[in-house]
Amino acid sequence: MEPGEGSPQQIRQALLFFVFLGGSLVCSETWRYSVAEETEIGSFIGNVVKDIGLGVEDLAARGARVIFDDYKPYLQLDRQTGNLILNEKLDREALCDLTEPCILNFQILFENPLQFFRAELRVKDINDHTPTFLDKHILLKISESTTPGTSFQMDSAQDLDVGKNAVQNYTLSPNHHFHLKLQDSEEGRKYAELLLDQPLDREKEPELRLTLTALDGGSPPRSATALVRVLVSDVNDNAPEFERSVYEVLVPENSPLGSLVVKVSATDLDAGLNGELSYSFSHVSRDIRKTFEIHPISGEVRLKALLDFELIKSYTINIQAIDGGSLSGKSAILVSVVDVNDNPPEIVITSLTSPIPENSSPEMVVAVFSLRDQDSGDNGRMVCSIQDNLPFLLKPTFKNFYTLVTDSPLDREKRAEYNISITVTDMGTPRLKTENNITLLVSDVNDNAPAFTQTSYTLSVRENNSPALHIGSVRATDRDAGANAQVTYSLLPPLDPHVPLASLVSINPDNGHLFALRSLDYEALRAFEFRVGAADRGSPALSSQALVRVLVTDDNDNAPFVLYPLQNASAPCTELVPRAAEAGYLVTKVVAVDGDSGQNAWLSYQLLKATEPGLFGVWAHNGEVRTARLLGERDAAKHRLVVLVKDNGEPPLSPAAALTVYLVVALASVSSLFLFSVLVFVAVRLCRRGGAASVGRCSVPEGPFPGHLLDVSGTGTLSQSYQYEVCLKRGSGTSEFKFLKSVASNHQESVNDVEENSNFINGFGFN
């Protein structure tokens, strides 16, 4: 086929198109050509122009071409001459194998107008292959007792050629015992059979060597040879015999693979093949063949698979010894498997109860299990145990069943989980042991009441606190678990019904935090007690209680209150001091109280302001006002003193106390008579008013003290039952003040006397 003449696919499409048109353009005649295989390329095959009857000019004009069915370019069309030229060497065996004849179909295509001519090319065989024997050495074993006329088929020689070029004949080298007989196979090929003509005698000629020749029908013929060895076997007239009719052996079950079980032996009186024995099993089960193997020559029986006493305890193996003449002798092997301690005990848990309540009754069944050991004898006897110091006990029941029961009371709070190791040991050698660990949980029972960390709590809170202030906490723990350990806190009813507990404190039920509900006042309530309860959520619930004492600590929220001199008077208190008073003379005493306690109520006194500094002094701790020096003529007759009273709080609080001191001065211009008359007048007036001997008396507070100054505990600075009187005694140089005298009676009369005496003194010019 010339290059560029179209692809096979295009040609196929054209052919199909033509078929669809009805095939009217195809010539019905088939042109046949032939060529011998291996013909050289370029060889002439035939002329298309002569066969078809067209002109040479039509080949090129109409686009003639050659198309084979397999689209391979075996032939080439010369359009100038119409000759078909061989395009490649052809190998018949490769193209058609053994098929005969070997035909290659092709078409001669004219494109314009379209026309097809059918043709075929026959590839003829040539004798290019030599016959071959697959086995060049053929061995025949023939007994010397074989009768003449017996045939022995020979292997055929192979030849790739066909027809007369294939194997046509066999020949045998000359001999006295055999000749060949040719036979035809169903495929038409020849094969040979060897026929015995004369009896064989092993003792005269134990072996024959013959040459078998295969010839094909080619010219010249090709041939192949094979060597035929005929071994004359002895007549077998003696059967093999075993040494023992039964072999009994013991084999431990842990014997390794390949272990020798037994070696059997048999003898045969014959010679040669008839005396050569082959050992094998005879009519044995699949299990035996899987477990044992026998050496065909030595007769050694070895393990092919591991033994297991627990599965099969013994084997009976039938064996045979076969000689070369197919005579046999029989025996048996009785294999007893010896048990070894190769199976550890087994523990099978049948039932397990977990968790179990801690208040379980004694000998409650916790677990049921069984034991098994597949070994036998002592190897299968077992001992079962658990750890010591456990509140559990093993009890044997039926056969190898055991129960695990409680032996003593359980306490989840002491131990909530038990890891129990069940140990089983057999009595074999060596002893094998199996452990099975089970975890047993103990469930909680509400058997523990909540316990406070303290039986009583003392809390401290400073007065004037903000409402809802966290003042402290109580805490209780419960050794139980889950809801049994969930603690709820509450306030219990107060022991004293007069204590308004509900308005004083509250408690968080979840965490026990205590809160002051309102601002506390130390001066009104210094301490109070109440009980708190803690209850769990078990069923039934358990509870406990604790005592809480709340101490209110003082805050410096009260300034000192001056009882004397009276602070709500319209004018400062007036004190009289003799002009002849010496240094250290007690003029008066400032008396003050503080509603606070502790250092907040420690008072100190200080002379804050004086008309003439240096003349008077105030004792810091008791408030006594005394002269600091002798009075002189030039000292003023009236002095105004301001005394500061402050507590020891932080910061300190203080009021101020003011008093006026008048000096009694003897005037030189007044006559003694006039002075005597005045003294008599004063004495008469004093005696008339109540027998008092004093020259004058200061006013004192009347009625009870204000309520906010009361000492709740009765331990304050001054009690309510005292009022105060400050006045001068008779005499000029030894007058002293008197304090803390009860003046509850005739108080109003004394005040009137003081007012009258004050008017009298003012008459002397003491303004």
Side-chain angles (χ1 to χ4, degrees), residues 557-612:
D557 58 345
N558 291 283
F561 181 80
V562 179
L563 298 176
Y564 183 84
L566 194 64
Q567 296 300 295
N568 57 359
S570 59
C573 181
T574 301
E575 300 292 345
L576 298 179
V577 179
R579 180 66 82 159
E582 297 179 353
Y585 178 82
L586 178 62
V587 177
T588 187
K589 182 175 182 179
V590 178
V591 180
V593 294
D594 195 313
D596 296 320
S597 65
Q599 67 179 15
N600 294 330
W602 297 349
L603 302 181
S604 62
Y605 303 85
Q606 178 184 353
L607 183 59
L608 186 63
K609 186 177 180 181
T611 302
E612 185 175 345

Short mmCIF file of all heavy atoms in Angstrom, two decimals, residues 557-612:
data_model
loop_
_atom_site.label_atom_id
_atom_site.label_comp_id
_atom_site.label_asym_id
_atom_site.label_seq_id
_atom_site.Cartn_x
_atom_site.Cartn_y
_atom_site.Cartn_z
N ASP A 557 -17.62 56.96 117.43
CA ASP A 557 -18.70 57.75 116.85
C ASP A 557 -19.42 58.62 117.89
O ASP A 557 -20.46 59.19 117.59
CB ASP A 557 -19.70 56.81 116.18
CG ASP A 557 -20.28 55.79 117.14
OD1 ASP A 557 -19.71 55.62 118.23
OD2 ASP A 557 -21.29 55.15 116.79
N ASN A 558 -18.88 58.70 119.13
CA ASN A 558 -19.49 59.55 120.17
C ASN A 558 -18.42 60.50 120.72
O ASN A 558 -17.36 60.06 121.20
CB ASN A 558 -20.04 58.70 121.32
CG ASN A 558 -21.26 57.89 120.90
OD1 ASN A 558 -22.35 58.43 120.79
ND2 ASN A 558 -21.04 56.61 120.63
N ALA A 559 -18.71 61.77 120.62
CA ALA A 559 -17.81 62.77 121.20
C ALA A 559 -18.00 62.80 122.72
O ALA A 559 -19.07 62.45 123.23
CB ALA A 559 -18.08 64.14 120.60
N PRO A 560 -16.98 63.14 123.46
CA PRO A 560 -17.15 63.25 124.92
C PRO A 560 -18.28 64.23 125.26
O PRO A 560 -18.48 65.24 124.58
CB PRO A 560 -15.80 63.76 125.40
CG PRO A 560 -14.84 63.35 124.33
CD PRO A 560 -15.58 63.45 123.06
N PHE A 561 -19.02 63.89 126.31
CA PHE A 561 -20.12 64.77 126.77
C PHE A 561 -19.73 65.34 128.14
O PHE A 561 -19.42 64.59 129.07
CB PHE A 561 -21.42 63.98 126.89
CG PHE A 561 -22.59 64.82 127.33
CD1 PHE A 561 -23.26 65.63 126.42
CD2 PHE A 561 -23.01 64.82 128.66
CE1 PHE A 561 -24.34 66.39 126.83
CE2 PHE A 561 -24.08 65.59 129.06
CZ PHE A 561 -24.75 66.39 128.14
N VAL A 562 -19.70 66.64 128.24
CA VAL A 562 -19.29 67.33 129.48
C VAL A 562 -20.49 67.43 130.41
O VAL A 562 -21.52 68.04 130.07
CB VAL A 562 -18.71 68.72 129.16
CG1 VAL A 562 -18.31 69.42 130.46
CG2 VAL A 562 -17.52 68.59 128.23
N LEU A 563 -20.35 66.77 131.54
CA LEU A 563 -21.42 66.85 132.55
C LEU A 563 -21.31 68.13 133.38
O LEU A 563 -22.32 68.73 133.79
CB LEU A 563 -21.35 65.62 133.45
CG LEU A 563 -21.56 64.26 132.76
CD1 LEU A 563 -21.36 63.14 133.76
CD2 LEU A 563 -22.94 64.19 132.15
N TYR A 564 -20.06 68.49 133.62
CA TYR A 564 -19.83 69.72 134.40
C TYR A 564 -18.57 70.37 133.87
O TYR A 564 -17.56 69.68 133.64
CB TYR A 564 -19.69 69.39 135.89
CG TYR A 564 -19.52 70.65 136.73
CD1 TYR A 564 -20.66 71.35 137.14
CD2 TYR A 564 -18.27 71.12 137.07
CE1 TYR A 564 -20.50 72.51 137.89
CE2 TYR A 564 -18.12 72.28 137.80
CZ TYR A 564 -19.24 72.99 138.22
OH TYR A 564 -19.10 74.14 138.92
N PRO A 565 -18.60 71.63 133.65
CA PRO A 565 -19.75 72.55 133.80
C PRO A 565 -20.80 72.29 132.74
O PRO A 565 -20.48 71.80 131.67
CB PRO A 565 -19.12 73.93 133.64
CG PRO A 565 -17.92 73.70 132.83
CD PRO A 565 -17.38 72.38 133.21
N LEU A 566 -22.04 72.64 133.09
CA LEU A 566 -23.18 72.38 132.22
C LEU A 566 -23.03 73.18 130.94
O LEU A 566 -22.78 74.38 130.97
CB LEU A 566 -24.46 72.76 132.97
CG LEU A 566 -25.76 72.26 132.34
CD1 LEU A 566 -25.78 70.74 132.35
CD2 LEU A 566 -26.96 72.80 133.12
N GLN A 567 -23.21 72.45 129.79
CA GLN A 567 -22.93 73.08 128.51
C GLN A 567 -24.12 73.77 127.91
O GLN A 567 -23.98 74.58 127.01
CB GLN A 567 -22.42 72.01 127.52
CG GLN A 567 -21.10 71.39 127.92
CD GLN A 567 -20.00 72.43 128.00
OE1 GLN A 567 -19.64 73.03 127.01
NE2 GLN A 567 -19.52 72.67 129.21
N ASN A 568 -25.33 73.49 128.42
CA ASN A 568 -26.51 74.11 127.82
C ASN A 568 -26.99 75.33 128.59
O ASN A 568 -28.08 75.82 128.38
CB ASN A 568 -27.64 73.09 127.70
CG ASN A 568 -27.99 72.50 129.07
OD1 ASN A 568 -27.38 72.84 130.06
ND2 ASN A 568 -28.98 71.62 129.09
N ALA A 569 -26.15 75.81 129.57
CA ALA A 569 -26.52 77.03 130.31
C ALA A 569 -26.32 78.26 129.44
O ALA A 569 -25.54 78.25 128.48
CB ALA A 569 -25.68 77.15 131.58
N SER A 570 -27.00 79.32 129.81
CA SER A 570 -26.91 80.54 129.00
C SER A 570 -25.59 81.26 129.22
O SER A 570 -25.14 82.02 128.36
CB SER A 570 -28.08 81.48 129.35
OG SER A 570 -28.04 81.81 130.73
N ALA A 571 -24.94 81.00 130.35
CA ALA A 571 -23.67 81.66 130.65
C ALA A 571 -22.72 80.62 131.21
O ALA A 571 -23.15 79.60 131.74
CB ALA A 571 -23.87 82.79 131.68
N PRO A 572 -21.42 80.82 131.07
CA PRO A 572 -20.45 79.87 131.63
C PRO A 572 -20.63 79.73 133.13
O PRO A 572 -21.10 80.64 133.81
CB PRO A 572 -19.09 80.47 131.27
CG PRO A 572 -19.38 81.42 130.15
CD PRO A 572 -20.75 81.96 130.37
N CYS A 573 -20.23 78.55 133.60
CA CYS A 573 -20.33 78.31 135.04
C CYS A 573 -19.30 79.17 135.77
O CYS A 573 -18.18 79.35 135.29
CB CYS A 573 -20.10 76.83 135.30
SG CYS A 573 -20.21 76.38 137.03
N THR A 574 -19.70 79.65 136.91
CA THR A 574 -18.84 80.56 137.67
C THR A 574 -18.33 79.85 138.90
O THR A 574 -19.09 79.20 139.62
CB THR A 574 -19.59 81.82 138.10
OG1 THR A 574 -20.07 82.46 136.91
CG2 THR A 574 -18.68 82.77 138.86
N GLU A 575 -17.02 79.92 139.13
CA GLU A 575 -16.38 79.34 140.30
C GLU A 575 -15.73 80.47 141.11
O GLU A 575 -15.23 81.45 140.54
CB GLU A 575 -15.32 78.31 139.89
CG GLU A 575 -15.84 77.16 139.06
CD GLU A 575 -16.74 76.25 139.87
OE1 GLU A 575 -16.74 76.34 141.10
OE2 GLU A 575 -17.47 75.42 139.23
N LEU A 576 -15.70 80.33 142.45
CA LEU A 576 -15.12 81.33 143.35
C LEU A 576 -13.81 80.80 143.88
O LEU A 576 -13.73 79.66 144.30
CB LEU A 576 -16.07 81.64 144.50
CG LEU A 576 -17.44 82.24 144.10
CD1 LEU A 576 -18.29 82.48 145.34
CD2 LEU A 576 -17.24 83.54 143.34
N VAL A 577 -12.81 81.62 143.83
CA VAL A 577 -11.48 81.25 144.31
C VAL A 577 -11.03 82.32 145.30
O VAL A 577 -11.06 83.52 144.98
CB VAL A 577 -10.48 81.14 143.15
CG1 VAL A 577 -9.10 80.77 143.68
CG2 VAL A 577 -10.95 80.12 142.13
N PRO A 578 -10.62 81.92 146.51
CA PRO A 578 -10.13 82.93 147.47
C PRO A 578 -8.87 83.59 146.93
O PRO A 578 -8.07 82.95 146.23
CB PRO A 578 -9.83 82.12 148.73
CG PRO A 578 -10.60 80.84 148.55
CD PRO A 578 -10.67 80.61 147.11
N ARG A 579 -8.74 84.85 147.25
CA ARG A 579 -7.58 85.59 146.77
C ARG A 579 -6.32 85.03 147.43
O ARG A 579 -5.22 85.11 146.87
CB ARG A 579 -7.79 87.08 147.12
CG ARG A 579 -6.71 88.04 146.72
CD ARG A 579 -6.56 88.15 145.24
NE ARG A 579 -7.52 89.07 144.64
CZ ARG A 579 -7.33 89.62 143.46
NH1 ARG A 579 -6.23 89.34 142.78
NH2 ARG A 579 -8.25 90.42 142.93
N ALA A 580 -6.48 84.39 148.58
CA ALA A 580 -5.31 83.88 149.29
C ALA A 580 -4.99 82.43 148.92
O ALA A 580 -4.22 81.77 149.61
CB ALA A 580 -5.55 83.99 150.80
N ALA A 581 -5.63 81.90 147.83
CA ALA A 581 -5.40 80.49 147.45
C ALA A 581 -3.94 80.29 147.06
O ALA A 581 -3.34 81.11 146.38
CB ALA A 581 -6.31 80.10 146.30
N GLU A 582 -3.39 79.16 147.49
CA GLU A 582 -2.01 78.85 147.19
C GLU A 582 -1.90 78.13 145.84
O GLU A 582 -2.90 77.74 145.24
CB GLU A 582 -1.44 77.96 148.30
CG GLU A 582 -1.41 78.65 149.66
CD GLU A 582 -0.85 77.72 150.73
OE1 GLU A 582 -0.65 76.51 150.38
OE2 GLU A 582 -0.64 78.17 151.84
N ALA A 583 -0.68 77.93 145.41
CA ALA A 583 -0.45 77.19 144.16
C ALA A 583 -0.93 75.75 144.32
O ALA A 583 -0.69 75.13 145.35
CB ALA A 583 1.04 77.20 143.78
N GLY A 584 -1.65 75.25 143.34
CA GLY A 584 -2.19 73.90 143.41
C GLY A 584 -3.57 73.85 144.00
O GLY A 584 -4.11 72.77 144.22
N TYR A 585 -4.11 75.01 144.26
CA TYR A 585 -5.46 75.07 144.81
C TYR A 585 -6.45 74.53 143.77
O TYR A 585 -6.39 74.90 142.60
CB TYR A 585 -5.78 76.52 145.19
CG TYR A 585 -7.18 76.71 145.74
CD1 TYR A 585 -7.47 76.43 147.08
CD2 TYR A 585 -8.22 77.14 144.90
CE1 TYR A 585 -8.75 76.61 147.56
CE2 TYR A 585 -9.50 77.31 145.37
CZ TYR A 585 -9.77 77.03 146.72
OH TYR A 585 -11.04 77.18 147.19
N LEU A 586 -7.35 73.61 144.23
CA LEU A 586 -8.35 73.03 143.34
C LEU A 586 -9.46 74.03 143.11
O LEU A 586 -10.21 74.35 144.03
CB LEU A 586 -8.91 71.75 143.93
CG LEU A 586 -10.02 71.06 143.12
CD1 LEU A 586 -9.49 70.63 141.75
CD2 LEU A 586 -10.57 69.86 143.88
N VAL A 587 -9.52 74.50 141.87
CA VAL A 587 -10.53 75.49 141.54
C VAL A 587 -11.84 74.77 141.20
O VAL A 587 -12.89 75.11 141.75
CB VAL A 587 -10.05 76.33 140.34
CG1 VAL A 587 -11.13 77.32 139.93
CG2 VAL A 587 -8.79 77.05 140.69
N THR A 588 -11.78 73.81 140.34
CA THR A 588 -12.98 73.05 139.95
C THR A 588 -12.51 71.78 139.23
O THR A 588 -11.31 71.58 139.02
CB THR A 588 -13.89 73.87 139.04
OG1 THR A 588 -15.11 73.11 138.82
CG2 THR A 588 -13.25 74.13 137.69
N LYS A 589 -13.42 71.00 138.85
CA LYS A 589 -13.12 69.78 138.10
C LYS A 589 -14.10 69.64 136.94
O LYS A 589 -15.30 69.67 137.14
CB LYS A 589 -13.21 68.55 138.99
CG LYS A 589 -12.85 67.26 138.28
CD LYS A 589 -12.84 66.08 139.23
CE LYS A 589 -12.42 64.82 138.50
NZ LYS A 589 -12.38 63.67 139.42
N VAL A 590 -13.52 69.52 135.74
CA VAL A 590 -14.35 69.30 134.55
C VAL A 590 -14.70 67.81 134.50
O VAL A 590 -13.82 66.95 134.47
CB VAL A 590 -13.61 69.74 133.27
CG1 VAL A 590 -14.49 69.46 132.05
CG2 VAL A 590 -13.25 71.20 133.35
N VAL A 591 -15.97 67.50 134.49
CA VAL A 591 -16.45 66.13 134.48
C VAL A 591 -17.09 65.84 133.11
O VAL A 591 -17.99 66.58 132.70
CB VAL A 591 -17.44 65.87 135.61
CG1 VAL A 591 -17.93 64.42 135.58
CG2 VAL A 591 -16.82 66.20 136.95
N ALA A 592 -16.61 64.81 132.44
CA ALA A 592 -17.13 64.44 131.10
C ALA A 592 -17.23 62.92 130.99
O ALA A 592 -16.54 62.19 131.69
CB ALA A 592 -16.23 64.99 129.99
N VAL A 593 -18.12 62.47 130.15
CA VAL A 593 -18.29 61.04 129.86
C VAL A 593 -18.26 60.83 128.33
O VAL A 593 -18.46 61.77 127.57
CB VAL A 593 -19.60 60.49 130.45
CG1 VAL A 593 -19.57 60.52 131.96
CG2 VAL A 593 -20.80 61.27 129.92
N ASP A 594 -17.99 59.56 127.89
CA ASP A 594 -17.95 59.20 126.45
C ASP A 594 -18.72 57.90 126.28
O ASP A 594 -18.47 56.92 126.99
CB ASP A 594 -16.51 59.04 125.97
CG ASP A 594 -16.42 59.03 124.45
OD1 ASP A 594 -17.21 58.32 123.81
OD2 ASP A 594 -15.54 59.74 123.92
N GLY A 595 -19.69 57.92 125.36
CA GLY A 595 -20.52 56.74 125.14
C GLY A 595 -19.78 55.57 124.51
O GLY A 595 -20.29 54.45 124.47
N ASP A 596 -18.58 55.81 123.98
CA ASP A 596 -17.81 54.73 123.39
C ASP A 596 -17.14 53.91 124.49
O ASP A 596 -17.35 54.15 125.68
CB ASP A 596 -16.76 55.29 122.42
CG ASP A 596 -17.41 55.99 121.24
OD1 ASP A 596 -18.43 55.47 120.75
OD2 ASP A 596 -16.92 57.06 120.83
N SER A 597 -16.32 52.94 124.05
CA SER A 597 -15.64 52.09 125.01
C SER A 597 -14.18 51.98 124.63
O SER A 597 -13.76 52.38 123.55
CB SER A 597 -16.29 50.70 125.06
OG SER A 597 -16.11 50.05 123.82
N GLY A 598 -13.42 51.40 125.54
CA GLY A 598 -12.01 51.20 125.26
C GLY A 598 -11.29 52.52 125.13
O GLY A 598 -11.59 53.51 125.80
N GLN A 599 -10.30 52.52 124.22
CA GLN A 599 -9.53 53.75 124.07
C GLN A 599 -10.35 54.87 123.46
O GLN A 599 -9.98 56.03 123.57
CB GLN A 599 -8.29 53.49 123.23
CG GLN A 599 -8.59 53.15 121.78
CD GLN A 599 -7.32 52.95 120.99
OE1 GLN A 599 -6.26 52.79 121.58
NE2 GLN A 599 -7.43 52.96 119.67
N ASN A 600 -11.47 54.51 122.82
CA ASN A 600 -12.35 55.56 122.30
C ASN A 600 -13.01 56.34 123.44
O ASN A 600 -13.54 57.44 123.20
CB ASN A 600 -13.42 54.96 121.40
CG ASN A 600 -12.84 54.36 120.15
OD1 ASN A 600 -11.82 54.84 119.66
ND2 ASN A 600 -13.48 53.32 119.61
N ALA A 601 -13.02 55.76 124.67
CA ALA A 601 -13.64 56.44 125.82
C ALA A 601 -12.60 56.99 126.79
O ALA A 601 -12.95 57.53 127.83
CB ALA A 601 -14.58 55.49 126.55
N TRP A 602 -11.28 56.81 126.47
CA TRP A 602 -10.25 57.41 127.32
C TRP A 602 -10.21 58.91 127.05
O TRP A 602 -9.94 59.35 125.92
CB TRP A 602 -8.88 56.79 127.02
CG TRP A 602 -8.83 55.31 127.34
CD1 TRP A 602 -9.73 54.58 128.01
CD2 TRP A 602 -7.77 54.44 126.94
NE1 TRP A 602 -9.35 53.28 128.09
CE2 TRP A 602 -8.12 53.14 127.44
CE3 TRP A 602 -6.56 54.59 126.27
CZ2 TRP A 602 -7.32 52.03 127.26
CZ3 TRP A 602 -5.76 53.48 126.08
CH2 TRP A 602 -6.13 52.21 126.57
N LEU A 603 -10.49 59.67 128.12
CA LEU A 603 -10.60 61.13 127.96
C LEU A 603 -9.33 61.81 128.46
O LEU A 603 -8.69 61.36 129.41
CB LEU A 603 -11.81 61.67 128.72
CG LEU A 603 -13.17 61.06 128.33
CD1 LEU A 603 -14.29 61.70 129.15
CD2 LEU A 603 -13.42 61.24 126.85
N SER A 604 -9.00 62.85 127.81
CA SER A 604 -7.88 63.71 128.24
C SER A 604 -8.34 65.16 128.22
O SER A 604 -9.21 65.54 127.42
CB SER A 604 -6.67 63.51 127.32
OG SER A 604 -6.98 63.89 126.00
N TYR A 605 -7.75 65.97 129.14
CA TYR A 605 -8.18 67.37 129.34
C TYR A 605 -7.00 68.28 129.05
O TYR A 605 -5.85 67.96 129.34
CB TYR A 605 -8.68 67.58 130.76
CG TYR A 605 -9.83 66.66 131.14
CD1 TYR A 605 -9.59 65.38 131.61
CD2 TYR A 605 -11.15 67.09 131.02
CE1 TYR A 605 -10.63 64.53 131.95
CE2 TYR A 605 -12.20 66.24 131.36
CZ TYR A 605 -11.94 64.97 131.83
OH TYR A 605 -12.96 64.14 132.17
N GLN A 606 -7.35 69.43 128.50
CA GLN A 606 -6.30 70.38 128.11
C GLN A 606 -6.86 71.79 128.23
O GLN A 606 -7.98 72.06 127.81
CB GLN A 606 -5.85 70.09 126.67
CG GLN A 606 -4.81 71.04 126.15
CD GLN A 606 -4.49 70.76 124.69
OE1 GLN A 606 -4.96 69.79 124.14
NE2 GLN A 606 -3.71 71.61 124.09
N LEU A 607 -6.05 72.65 128.85
CA LEU A 607 -6.44 74.06 128.95
C LEU A 607 -6.19 74.70 127.60
O LEU A 607 -5.05 74.91 127.19
CB LEU A 607 -5.63 74.78 130.04
CG LEU A 607 -6.00 76.25 130.28
CD1 LEU A 607 -7.47 76.40 130.67
CD2 LEU A 607 -5.10 76.85 131.35
N LEU A 608 -7.28 74.95 126.94
CA LEU A 608 -7.16 75.43 125.57
C LEU A 608 -6.96 76.95 125.52
O LEU A 608 -6.18 77.44 124.70
CB LEU A 608 -8.43 75.03 124.79
CG LEU A 608 -8.43 75.32 123.31
CD1 LEU A 608 -7.32 74.53 122.62
CD2 LEU A 608 -9.79 74.97 122.70
N LYS A 609 -7.61 77.69 126.44
CA LYS A 609 -7.55 79.16 126.40
C LYS A 609 -7.77 79.70 127.81
O LYS A 609 -8.59 79.17 128.56
CB LYS A 609 -8.63 79.69 125.45
CG LYS A 609 -8.59 81.18 125.21
CD LYS A 609 -9.66 81.58 124.19
CE LYS A 609 -9.63 83.07 123.92
NZ LYS A 609 -10.70 83.47 122.95
N ALA A 610 -7.04 80.73 128.20
CA ALA A 610 -7.18 81.34 129.55
C ALA A 610 -6.98 82.85 129.43
O ALA A 610 -6.25 83.33 128.55
CB ALA A 610 -6.16 80.75 130.51
N THR A 611 -7.64 83.58 130.33
CA THR A 611 -7.51 85.06 130.33
C THR A 611 -6.08 85.44 130.65
O THR A 611 -5.49 86.34 130.02
CB THR A 611 -8.47 85.67 131.36
OG1 THR A 611 -9.81 85.25 131.01
CG2 THR A 611 -8.39 87.19 131.35
N GLU A 612 -5.50 84.73 131.63
CA GLU A 612 -4.11 84.99 131.99
C GLU A 612 -3.37 83.67 131.98
O GLU A 612 -3.49 82.88 132.91
CB GLU A 612 -4.02 85.64 133.38
CG GLU A 612 -2.60 86.04 133.75
CD GLU A 612 -2.55 86.79 135.07
OE1 GLU A 612 -3.61 87.24 135.54
OE2 GLU A 612 -1.46 86.90 135.63
#
